[in-house]
Amino acid sequence: MATKLDPRELKQVITLHLDCDSNRKIGSALSIFRNTVNTYIHYLKELLGFDTGTLSELFSSHTMLSTARHNEL
């Protein structure tokens, strides 16, 4: 079964990982399995290895915001 990444959880995992917390401690703090933390860290390291072009392909800059309304704000 494929792992679905939750962006909110991923951001929290990254933040705690950068604070040098262990994967076990991160899992405990976020009430997620340690193996889920391991998976997120694995994906993070994989993403850090990509060049800008590859990242642009993976993460489109397309937005659902109405540009005119967004610019007005």
Side-chain angles (χ1 to χ4, degrees):
M1 180 162 82
T3 302
K4 184 174 180 180
L5 295 175
D6 177 356
R8 180 187 49 79
E9 274 184 357
L10 180 58
K11 183 177 179 181
Q12 291 173 321
V13 168
I14 292 169
T15 300
L16 293 171
H17 181 72
L18 291 174
D19 288 341
C20 298
D21 287 343
S22 70
N23 290 1
R24 185 178 305 257
K25 185 174 179 180
I26 293 169
S28 179
L30 300 178
S31 299
I32 58 177
F33 290 110
R34 180 176 46 93
N35 285 339
T36 302
V37 175
N38 293 340
T39 300
Y40 285 178
I41 298 300
H42 169 77
Y43 284 125
L44 170 64
K45 289 178 180 176
E46 189 175 333
L47 287 173
L48 290 173
F50 290 158
D51 62 17
T52 304
T54 304
L55 289 173
S56 294
E57 289 175 20
L58 289 172
F59 302 101
S60 167
S61 61
H62 177 73
T63 179
M64 298 301 288
L65 295 174
S66 168
T67 306
R69 176 72 177 138
H70 183 265
N71 289 338
E72 184 179 313
L73 292 174

